[in-house]
Amino acid sequence: MMKSPNTLHMQFTQGFNKMSISKGCLYIGAVIAALISILIFINVNAELQQISTVETVTERSTLASDLYNATIEMSLERSVMQVTLNLDDPIAPEFKALLESQRTKANDGFNHFFEHIQGKSDFLSMAESTKKHKKRIGEIRQLADKQLQLPLARRDATLVKTLPEQLKAEISAIEREVKQLTFTQAAVVNSLDALLEIQRFGWLI
C-alpha cells in the first residue's frame, strides 16, 4: 500500500528532527567535554603552581636559614674578637678556643648554604656574592689572629678598632643578601618575609 504524501512528509520530518537532535547532543557533548578538559587543565596547572610555590618557599627558607645561622655565630665571634683585641696580653687559650668554635659553627652555615644552592641556576648571583663575603671574612680573621698573638702595646691600633667593625659590616651585608630572596608569587612574599623574620629573631634569642 502506497503511503500518502502527508505520511511521507511526517516521517521525513521526524527523521530529520531526530538527526538534528542527535547532532545537537553530540555538539553539546563535545562542548562539555572540551570545558571539562579545560577545567582539568586549569586545576592541574594550579596544583603544579602551588607545588612549585611550596618548593620555592622551602628552598629559599632553607638558604636563608643557613646564612642566618652563619651570621648569628659570627656575631658572637665578633664580640669575642673585639674583647680580646683590647686585652693587654696575647689571646688566652680559652678565648682562642671560643673563637675557633664560633668560626667552625659559622663555616658550617656557609657550607650548608653552598651545598643547598649547588645546581640552582636562579641563585648563581647570590652564590658568587656570598663567596666574596666569605673570602673577605677569612681575610679579616687572619689579620685578627696576627694581632691577637701580640700584646696590646704591639698591636696596630687602627686594626684593633676597625677589624671588629669590618666583620660587622660583612655580617650586615650577608643579612641584606638574604633579604633579597624575594618571590614572584606576590601572595606569599609578605607572609614568608614575616616568617623569616620570626625565624631570625628566634635564632638571635
Side-chain angles (χ1 to χ4, degrees), residues 99-100 103 140-149:
L99 268 182
E100 292 299 325
R103 290 173 181 178
I140 294 169
R141 286 170 172 171
Q142 288 180 351
L143 289 171
D145 288 345
K146 289 180 180 179
Q147 295 299 308
L148 288 169
Q149 292 173 6

Side-chain angles (χ1 to χ4, degrees), residues 53-176:
T53 299
V54 170
E55 289 177 347
T56 300
V57 169
T58 302
E59 278 184 358
R60 293 172 185 262
S61 179
T62 299
L63 296 176
S65 175
D66 293 336
L67 288 184
Y68 271 139
N69 281 336
T71 60
I72 297 304
E73 302 301 340
M74 282 190 295
S75 293
L76 180 53
E77 175 190 347
R78 186 195 66 81
S79 297
V80 176
M81 178 193 295
Q82 187 171 31
V83 169
T84 51
L85 280 171
N86 286 279
L87 294 178
D88 291 333
D89 298 325
I91 187 169
E94 57 269 25
F95 282 120
K96 185 175 182 180
L98 181 56
L99 268 182
E100 292 299 325
S101 175
Q102 291 308 122
R103 290 173 181 178
T104 298
K105 292 175 183 177
N107 288 339
D108 285 344
F110 282 120
N111 291 338
H112 290 153
F113 169 80
F114 288 118
E115 286 174 9
H116 291 142
I117 211 170
Q118 190 173 4
K120 294 180 173 62
S121 58
D122 293 343
F123 303 103
L124 288 178
S125 176
M126 187 174 188
E128 290 302 315
S129 178
T130 304
K131 285 178 183 177
K132 291 178 182 178
H133 289 306
K134 189 172 183 294
K135 180 181 178 182
R136 179 58 187 146
I137 289 165
E139 293 169 352
I140 294 169
R141 286 170 172 171
Q142 288 180 351
L143 289 171
D145 288 345
K146 289 180 180 179
Q147 295 299 308
L148 288 169
Q149 292 173 6
L150 305 172
L152 180 59
R154 294 176 54 195
R155 290 175 194 151
D156 185 319
T158 300
L159 291 178
V160 168
K161 181 179 184 298
T162 60
L163 285 175
E165 294 173 351
Q166 291 177 40
L167 184 56
K168 183 178 180 180
E170 293 301 319
I171 293 169
S172 297
I174 293 170
E175 288 178 341
R176 288 193 296 272

